[in-house]
Amino acid sequence: MSGHHDIPVYRRIGATPAPSVRTDQAGVVIAGAGPVGLAMALDLGRRGHCVTVVTRLDFIAHCSKAICFSKRSLDILDRLGVGDAVVAKGVTWNVGKVFRGDGQQPIYQFDMLPVKDQKRPGFINIQQYYVEEFLLDALLALPNVEIRWGHSIEQVTPRDDGVDLDILAAGTDYRLTADWLIACDGSRSTVRARMGLDFEGRVFEDNFLIADIRMTHEMPPERWFWFDPPFNPGKSALMHRQPDDVWRLDFQLGWDIDRDAATRPENVEPYIRAMLGGDVEFEREWYSVYTFQCRRMARFVHGHVIFAGDSAHLVSPFGARGCNGGFADIDNLGWKLDLVLRGKADQRLVQSYDHEAVLTADENILNSTRSTDFLTPKSPASQALRDAVLELAQDHEFARPFVNSGRLSTAVAYPESPLSTPDEDGWQGGVAPGAPVPDAPLGDGWLLERLGDDFVLLVHGWQGEVPAGLCVVATQGAAARRLGLPAGAACLVRPDQYVAARWMQPDRDRIGAALSRANGGTPWPN
Amino acid sequence: MAELRTDVNLSGHDDLYAALLRLHEDRTEAESLKIWSRLVLLLANHIGDAEVVLQAIALARPGGAGADAHPADATGPDRMPEGRGQ
């Protein structure tokens, strides 16, 4: 389609014709068909809602973009039914190593799956277009989900009970009247711009080069990061494996550069050859220069318009908190909007998305800002501090935890969530309300597999009466231990696998009250 | 004689690092040097054992362990991955 000739195509789909009517109706409209928009559509579509995805592109772009998908994202993709496909294609990894200079031994290393015996690994690497394709294939099986390719949102007019969209499709204007709009349309969100909303936060003055290349190369499936390597003196570099013999190379470039020139092959290849040797054989996959910001919108919920993913918040890529943060958003929003749409919860349940998703964004922004401050010292004093840490880490264990090449994405807890019932029974340790359920072996499978799309009561040897319609799952062994549930105890788990409440001595009334609270205050059963 | 600890003896490393950066925000280099010095004196007094502080001084000195362990301008194309790690 016009205007996007510069984006390489992974899978061409073709523009969807404009509807035959000038004014069209939709239930939930999702703006954007990136991984976050498609996952949002899949969550709501699987729950039976009529979903219309509107995207200005008419193809899946052939850019690797996001490549690191966290365990938490894999748990979410499992719930959406595409986890197996994504993991089978991806490169599984848990360990990250940080090198300094030409040192052959890492000065620091970390393990993203410190607790073993879980269904999913700490991370997989996979090109974003594969994730989009798996999500899209799952969506095509749902008759209640429609995707409109090549449709651009031109105007957004919020109403008290919905939103009107003026859309342009192949030269034809039409109006789409929707009950809800979820803006998953990325960092340069059209919806955000049309509503006159903006970001708050910091912009960083540094440029990084992504050189995704295809080559045959042996290296363990680990994240390797260098400070001040001989092949990029005074700056940083990263190397990470993707499927299909594709490798993500990332080079810090500095601030004062010609960004257009930086991605020309004759300027990229010297970096690659300096890193891998002058005679290395490779093919170009995707070259890109990026700068970044750590910023978010003040609020993500604006009446019936809700922002999720990069449209709501931006982080630096060091930490893999972009797409993983977007998946956390849709996971948090899906069940809430589902209950509201089915009339089972009051609209104020959606407001709790604002609280919890903003908290997640703030933690992601905090961590990626700190990583960036470590990578890009801004003053002689901060440079000296950073270099001292790297020097001392070479020989002294105490300095190593200061080394920050990215704190990688894990699930964020909501300790003050309005949906949580505070502990009353003198708990010590375990999984507190507002924290996600850890995975563990259970029976022939895994604990997380036993959690569905609804509320679940996890019990350890308790067999009392529960509120009508609440599903009960018995735990024992490792699962009960990781949850910190002594015999006779139980915890209430939300549809997004977060603990809402827990009791040493559960009873139906207390469980019912906690369910109601987690449901935004609407009585249960309803 | 007490020995300087060089194992990990702290938690909250990222919080502490951020606090140290904030200490130097919008300061001149001369001000930063003064701030580092004040911090060292405060911590040395808290440690309360001159022997331990002298051991730390020895390790912090240029040429102490890890310092200037490599020339920053070293180059070479054959630095990479095979056989590295583990």
Side-chain angles (χ1 to χ4, degrees):
Chain A
M1 63 181 285
S2 63
H4 305 295
H5 292 301
D6 51 335
I7 305 178
V9 173
Y10 169 69
R11 178 163 146 192
R12 185 166 296 288
I13 290 158
T16 311
S20 52
V21 290
R22 292 300 304 274
T23 301
D24 200 6
Q25 309 249 329
V28 177
V29 171
I30 294 168
V36 176
L38 294 175
M40 182 81 262
L42 187 54
D43 198 354
L44 292 171
R46 281 165 51 90
R47 295 176 190 274
H49 300 290
C50 288
V51 176
T52 305
V53 179
V54 177
T55 173
R56 67 191 176 87
L57 301 181
D58 64 353
F59 56 87
I60 296 176
H62 194 254
C63 312
S64 318
K65 294 194 209 173
I67 61 163
C68 296
F69 291 83
S70 69
K71 179 188 180 304
R72 177 67 191 152
S73 290
L74 298 177
D75 293 340
I76 294 167
L77 293 171
D78 267 341
R79 189 175 60 74
L80 299 177
V82 296
D84 286 343
V86 171
V87 171
K89 182 68 199 175
V91 174
T92 289
W93 66 275
N94 291 307
V95 170
K97 290 179 177 162
V98 179
F99 302 91
R100 171 179 171 246
D102 61 359
Q104 302 292 301
Q105 293 301 319
I107 58 167
Y108 175 65
Q109 68 178 60
F110 54 84
D111 184 344
M112 291 309 296
L113 198 70
V115 178
K116 302 303 173 189
D117 289 329
Q118 306 194 62
K119 180 178 182 187
R120 294 308 183 193
F123 266 90
I124 67 160
N125 285 354
I126 186 171
Q127 292 89 332
Q128 179 172 319
Y129 49 79
Y130 281 126
V131 176
E132 290 170 351
E133 184 167 53
F134 293 135
L135 289 166
L136 186 57
D137 288 344
L139 282 170
L140 293 177
L142 295 176
N144 49 321
V145 176
E146 182 197 2
I147 304 181
R148 298 186 179 181
W149 301 91
H151 288 219
S152 305
I153 294 174
E154 303 288 308
Q155 281 303 325
V156 179
T157 312
R159 307 185 316 267
D160 283 346
D161 60 346
V163 55
D164 293 335
L165 302 171
D166 292 311
I167 295 178
L168 185 63
T172 304
D173 280 310
Y174 69 97
R175 171 159 280 206
L176 186 58
T177 298
D179 297 330
W180 293 88
L181 170 64
I182 308 172
C184 306
D185 52 348
S187 59
R188 282 171 287 191
S189 167
T190 304
V191 175
R192 195 182 66 230
R194 293 295 179 271
M195 289 182 65
L197 301 167
D198 202 358
F199 282 141
E200 300 165 357
R202 287 172 64 188
V203 178
F204 288 86
E205 295 192 345
D206 207 340
N207 291 283
F208 291 80
L209 169 68
I210 288 177
D212 278 3
I213 59 170
R214 205 175 278 261
M215 66 170 173
T216 312
H217 186 72
E218 287 308 314
M219 186 180 119
E222 298 172 343
R223 176 189 194 261
W224 283 13
F225 191 98
W226 288 263
F227 287 102
D228 190 25
F231 51 84
N232 198 18
K235 300 193 171 66
S236 67
L238 173 143
M239 184 171 189
H240 222 172
R241 178 178 220 133
Q242 303 171 49
D244 310 333
D245 285 328
V246 174
W247 295 81
R248 162 73 42 99
L249 311 179
D250 187 298
F251 302 94
Q252 188 178 20
L253 296 178
W255 180 237
D256 195 18
I257 61 157
D258 178 347
R259 299 188 60 205
D260 289 330
T263 51
R264 285 188 209 126
E266 67 268 27
N267 295 325
V268 175
E269 285 171 14
Y271 282 96
I272 298 170
R273 295 196 182 282
M275 184 185 213
L276 299 166
D279 53 355
V280 62
E281 287 180 29
F282 64 91
E283 286 171 48
R284 165 188 176 159
E285 179 81 3
W286 182 55
Y287 296 163
S288 175
V289 167
Y290 63 92
T291 58
F292 50 76
Q293 310 164 2
C294 290
R295 306 207 288 169
R296 69 165 169 88
M297 299 176 73
R299 289 181 294 122
F300 301 167
V301 176
H302 294 259
H304 281 234
V305 182
I306 304 170
F307 293 82
D310 283 357
S311 73
H313 42 75
L314 287 176
V315 293
S316 86
F318 297 98
R321 290 167 180 271
C323 192
N324 290 310
F327 280 165
D329 288 349
I330 66 97
D331 186 51
N332 190 283
L333 180 57
W335 66 275
K336 296 174 179 176
L337 195 53
D338 169 60
L339 287 170
V340 170
L341 288 167
R342 288 197 284 126
K344 303 251 180 193
D346 186 88
Q347 256 191 60
R348 63 179 175 266
L349 182 57
V350 169
Q351 281 302 327
S352 72
Y353 167 77
D354 212 51
H355 174 95
E356 295 179 343
V358 164
L359 202 67
T360 303
D362 281 347
E363 178 156 328
N364 287 332
I365 286 170
L366 177 71
N367 277 287
S368 76
T369 299
R370 287 176 170 183
S371 300
T372 307
D373 283 339
F374 196 89
L375 260 60
T376 308
K378 282 154 202 68
S379 66
S382 57
Q383 179 87 44
L385 178 61
R386 200 283 299 269
D387 292 347
V389 165
L390 293 175
E391 281 183 14
L392 288 165
Q394 193 99 23
D395 294 314
H396 300 298
E397 190 193 338
F398 85 92
R400 287 171 196 153
F402 287 113
V403 174
N404 191 340
S405 73
R407 301 284 186 234
L408 276 88
S409 175
T410 54
V412 173
Y414 319 127
E416 309 289 328
S417 172
L419 305 185
S420 294
T421 299
D423 281 341
E424 286 177 352
D425 296 343
W427 288 86
Q428 305 255 319
V431 181
V437 172
D439 200 9
L442 184 63
D444 296 334
W446 303 97
L447 172 59
L448 293 185
E449 289 175 338
R450 305 291 295 278
L451 306 174
D453 292 318
D454 298 308
F455 283 99
V456 170
L457 189 72
L458 293 176
V459 299
H460 182 202
W462 181 78
Q463 292 183 319
E465 215 182 319
V466 300
L470 178 62
C471 175
V472 177
V473 170
T475 66
Q476 53 178 330
R481 273 198 305 280
R482 286 183 192 173
L483 286 162
L485 292 182
C491 67
L492 178 67
V493 180
R494 306 176 353 176
D496 56 6
Q497 305 178 345
Y498 275 73
V499 172
R502 56 181 177 170
W503 306 273
M504 297 283 189
Q505 284 96 31
D507 68 59
R508 190 174 67 173
D509 289 347
R510 294 170 90 191
I511 298 166
L515 263 173
S516 168
R517 184 168 180 150
N519 202 21
T522 314
W524 184 288
N526 49 17
Chain B
M1 186 180 81
E3 249 194 80
L4 179 72
R5 290 189 66 160
T6 58
D7 57 338
V8 178
N9 189 33
L10 271 178
S11 58
H13 290 81
D14 287 356
D15 291 334
L16 188 57
Y17 194 92
L20 291 172
L21 286 187
R22 272 197 303 275
L23 191 54
H24 295 285
E25 249 165 40
D26 305 318
R27 301 292 175 190
T28 65
E29 280 188 67
E31 286 170 334
S32 275
L33 260 178
K34 177 79 75 62
I35 290 166
W36 279 136
S37 305
R38 291 164 61 98
L39 186 61
V40 166
L41 294 171
L42 282 163
L43 295 175
N45 179 63
H46 178 83
I47 291 162
D49 183 336
E51 281 299 327
V52 171
V53 177
L54 287 172
Q55 290 172 54
I57 287 171
L59 269 189
R61 179 173 287 137
D68 303 318
H70 70 102
D73 58 350
T75 53
D78 304 323
R79 300 282 180 189
M80 268 289 306
E82 265 101 31
R84 192 199 281 268
Q86 296 306 337

